[in-house]
Amino acid sequence: MSSDLVQILEGNTFVVSDTRGDIEASLTDPTGLFSFDTRFLSRWVLTVNGQRLNSLSVDDLNYFETRFFLVPGTGTIYVDSKLSVIRQRAVGDGFREQLTVLNHDDKPVRLTIRIEAGSDFADLFEVKDALKKTGTYDSRVEDGRLVLGYKRETFERETLISSSTSAKISRKSLDFRITIPPQGEWSTGLDVVAVSGPWVETTPEAQAQGAKRARLSMARGLDKWIEKAPRLECDKDSLKVTYRRSLIDLAALRFSTLTMPGRSLPAAGLPWFMTMFGRDSIFTSLQALPFTPELAETTLLALGERQGTHIDDFRDEDPGRILHEMRFGEMTAFEERPHSPYYGAADATPLYVVLLDEYERWTGNRRLVRQLEYEARAAPNWINEYADRMGNGHIAYQRRNEKTGLENQCWKDSWDSISYHDGRIPGFPRATCELQGYAYDAKVRGARLAREIWKDPSFADSLEKEAADLKRRFNRDFWVEDGEYFALALDARGKQVDTLTSNMGHLLWSGIVDKSKARAVARHLMGPRLFSGWGIRTLAEGEGRYNPIGYHVGTVWPFDNSFAAWGLRRYGFKTEAARVAAGILDAAEFFNGRLPEAFGGYAREITLYPVQYPTACTPQAWSTGAPLLLLRTMLGLEPIGDHLIVDPALPAGIGHLELLDIPGRWGRIDAYGRGRVSVDRTLTESKRRRSG
């Protein structure tokens, strides 16, 4: 998202405007007030005596609240203004804006303040894909407020706009004709409410009080969220900034489902993905486990609740399959999109079992593992019964919904992300390498749950045998012998898609790589073709489709790197993991602590700072989670039984680092480490503070 845009959000309601606070959206522009995948406000423009305003500054008060300082236009050279305007905006069931005009003159001033308002009620897919609407619009003045409406058969949406002071309201604007005394001020509260269902009538005073209570509740909730998380102390100030930014953004991206109010899981990211995503929510929950384990529990419950039950080609649904994406907008309601929910992800199902096992290892919550036994058993059954689309024992994907389903059902889901070394695009089905790693890990972890918690040794034996067989076949079928790396995928004929990619980092994390091949994999990941100095590129330099600013074909993804670092640590490559962590955390400093979805893959030798990817989502959940997982990796945090192992290997430049009050089945534990010039030499200390 452009740095010239300002966003505030709460759950799946968010507002995106320019730096003046104005909204002038088009069908292709992600600005506006959005809620439940519908844009409820596409025009919101403030003028004073017919003149647009200029921005002086924007206060980032909180993720749910911002403030704009403005003056009337003064031309190209600033002249001391006798008038200034403050717009303070907080999101809720829409948003509330407190508009204040200050007169700095020694004479009274007469003004006409106008707010132009309108809505295209665009579905988020219509914004993203530049599609036109088919329903009918309505704009009317009713009960002292402006009502913007849209209807298509039974699908109805309304935007209610009101003011706390008297205004002349038309179908397109609210006008205030005011006189401000010398050195005086005038203020009004503007309420914009997004209505998707029954609406309870209320007064402007009650709306103002309700908005204030909601704002205070969100502020208290954020304070409590940060207070519950482990405390970071370190010599590197920028790392403390990044850590706090990650916690705040993770709080901002929390999303409550309609069936589980009061409990939150991570939405994927702003602006396009403020909803439930199987893959993204699982990865983010894994990253955040040592810090906010409650996200993982809600993710597991919410995804299990919507696990596939039957075969549905339109939604790419199968029994046992975990959803990819859930939407609530008009196009989903009329089945012009399959997202109610859509199941077109080949990785979310095995990752579900991985998260359940990792959650139990951290928290000791066996009750949840027993509660979700059916769902966890159904996942490996989906791998065996429905995911082997080529009959060779490997997970592969091919959409059944040819019109609106996803072609690439792995995390690199853009159209050109899967290619041969020479740039050609393979046909379908496709079996990407990391899917096999996830399947292997799911079966190993599922076997542990079956043996230790479900008390089903025969099921455990079966899963372990399947995992061992998969590992053997994978290391035979995907290994590119002359290059000593794993192919990106197998094509429809079972031939290797011989590209060198970052996916190998996920293979190390999963444990599917034979130890004899691990050093070669690590060498490639840290070699100049993949490692830019800032991080590991998605696609190696020299590959046919390499582009340092191509979405999945050469950019650096912080989330991807965090799992690669975890994988490197798993196979004992501490120094290499620390180098990856150092590069990503250095990049975070240039992004003011907020890592974007992706950034350019240019070599660090030719860039003084990481190059921005123009349309990257920010904040994005698994990028927000990346610094958290990198902290875990650098400190070598690993739960073993009822104990937490601490084995730090910190990159030079971090200095002393303490992560205090790490929650888990052990109670609370502190971890310490110190970065050295040689990251192999670290001071190690862990202290049990409390147990219970």
Side-chain angles (χ1 to χ4, degrees), residues 356-361 363-373 377 445-457 460 665:
L356 181 62
D357 175 71
E358 190 71 9
Y359 172 78
E360 193 282 330
R361 291 176 67 234
T363 66
N365 186 350
R366 294 193 164 197
R367 173 194 54 77
L368 185 69
V369 177
R370 295 188 185 99
Q371 180 181 345
L372 295 175
E373 179 179 355
R377 284 176 176 266
R445 291 173 181 265
R448 186 189 79 86
L449 299 177
R451 179 166 283 112
E452 296 183 11
I453 301 175
W454 303 329
K455 306 303 180 184
D456 189 344
R665 64 198 302 161

Side-chain angles (χ1 to χ4, degrees), residues 56-71:
L56 295 178
S57 67
V58 180
D59 278 357
D60 184 13
L61 300 175
N62 251 317
Y63 67 81
F64 53 83
E65 185 176 23
T66 194
R67 185 162 50 204
F68 306 87
F69 291 87
L70 313 166
V71 292

Side-chain angles (χ1 to χ4, degrees), residues 461-475:
D461 290 344
S462 176
L463 288 175
E464 286 172 343
K465 182 179 178 182
E466 291 171 9
D469 181 57
L470 173 57
K471 184 172 184 176
R472 177 187 58 79
R473 286 184 288 101
F474 173 80
N475 281 272

Side-chain angles (χ1 to χ4, degrees), residues 230-242:
R231 191 169 78 256
L232 178 70
E233 299 290 346
C234 67
D235 294 338
K236 191 176 177 68
D237 289 339
S238 63
L239 179 54
K240 289 190 283 188
V241 171
T242 297

Side-chain angles (χ1 to χ4, degrees), residues 131-389:
L131 303 174
K132 293 184 178 180
K133 298 193 72 64
T134 60
T136 58
Y137 292 95
D138 174 39
S139 178
R140 64 189 186 276
V141 179
E142 183 178 278
D143 298 328
R145 65 188 173 209
L146 173 58
V147 180
L148 307 174
Y150 176 80
K151 183 174 183 179
R152 178 182 173 191
E153 297 179 20
T154 58
F155 185 90
E156 295 185 45
R157 297 291 185 266
E158 284 188 335
T159 305
L160 311 181
I161 303 169
S162 59
S163 168
S164 63
T165 60
S166 178
K168 181 182 178 182
I169 305 175
S170 72
R171 295 173 61 190
K172 293 184 177 180
S173 67
L174 287 77
D175 290 278
F176 306 87
R177 291 180 171 84
I178 61 173
T179 300
I180 307 178
Q183 301 297 322
E185 67 177 59
W186 170 87
S187 185
T188 189
L190 299 164
D191 287 293
V192 181
V193 180
V195 180
S196 300
W199 165 248
V200 179
E201 290 291 339
T202 185
T203 65
E205 294 79 11
Q207 282 183 298
Q209 288 300 315
K212 183 178 180 180
R213 286 194 299 270
R215 197 162 59 248
L216 290 173
S217 176
M218 285 187 280
R220 285 193 297 266
L222 178 59
D223 289 342
K224 185 177 179 181
W225 170 267
I226 293 174
E227 184 181 319
K228 282 179 61 180
R231 191 169 78 256
L232 178 70
E233 299 290 346
C234 67
D235 294 338
K236 191 176 177 68
D237 289 339
S238 63
L239 179 54
K240 289 190 283 188
V241 171
T242 297
Y243 179 64
R244 181 174 174 82
R245 180 79 262 172
S246 291
L247 291 178
I248 291 172
D249 283 348
L250 204 55
L253 292 167
R254 288 173 297 176
F255 168 80
S256 295
T257 70
L258 296 174
T259 57
M260 299 176 67
R263 305 189 64 156
S264 300
L265 69 158
L270 195 72
W272 304 117
F273 309 119
M274 289 304 298
T275 189
M276 189 191 316
F277 274 75
R279 173 194 307 127
D280 301 59
S281 297
I282 290 172
F283 273 132
T284 306
S285 296
L286 282 165
Q287 293 169 319
L289 249 179
F291 304 87
T292 58
E294 63 271 21
L295 288 178
E297 180 175 2
T298 307
T299 295
L300 289 163
L301 288 168
L303 294 178
E305 188 175 68
R306 294 161 179 80
Q307 189 174 35
T309 59
H310 61 285
I311 294 175
D312 182 338
D313 291 346
F314 177 64
R315 293 174 179 82
D316 279 329
E317 180 181 359
D318 305 306
R321 196 171 192 177
I322 296 297
L323 69 83
H324 171 59
E325 182 177 356
M326 183 83 176
R327 292 291 184 177
F328 303 93
E330 176 184 351
M331 298 189 75
T332 298
F334 286 91
E335 295 196 337
E336 293 162 346
R337 290 292 186 274
H339 298 76
S340 59
Y342 178 59
Y343 290 85
D347 48 12
T349 307
L351 288 171
Y352 183 83
V353 182
V354 172
L355 176 60
L356 181 62
D357 175 71
E358 190 71 9
Y359 172 78
E360 193 282 330
R361 291 176 67 234
W362 270 92
T363 66
N365 186 350
R366 294 193 164 197
R367 173 194 54 77
L368 185 69
V369 177
R370 295 188 185 99
Q371 180 181 345
L372 295 175
E373 179 179 355
Y374 176 85
E375 292 82 356
R377 284 176 176 266
N381 184 69
W382 176 81
I383 294 172
N384 295 338
E385 295 296 324
Y386 299 97
D388 182 9
R389 297 185 61 82

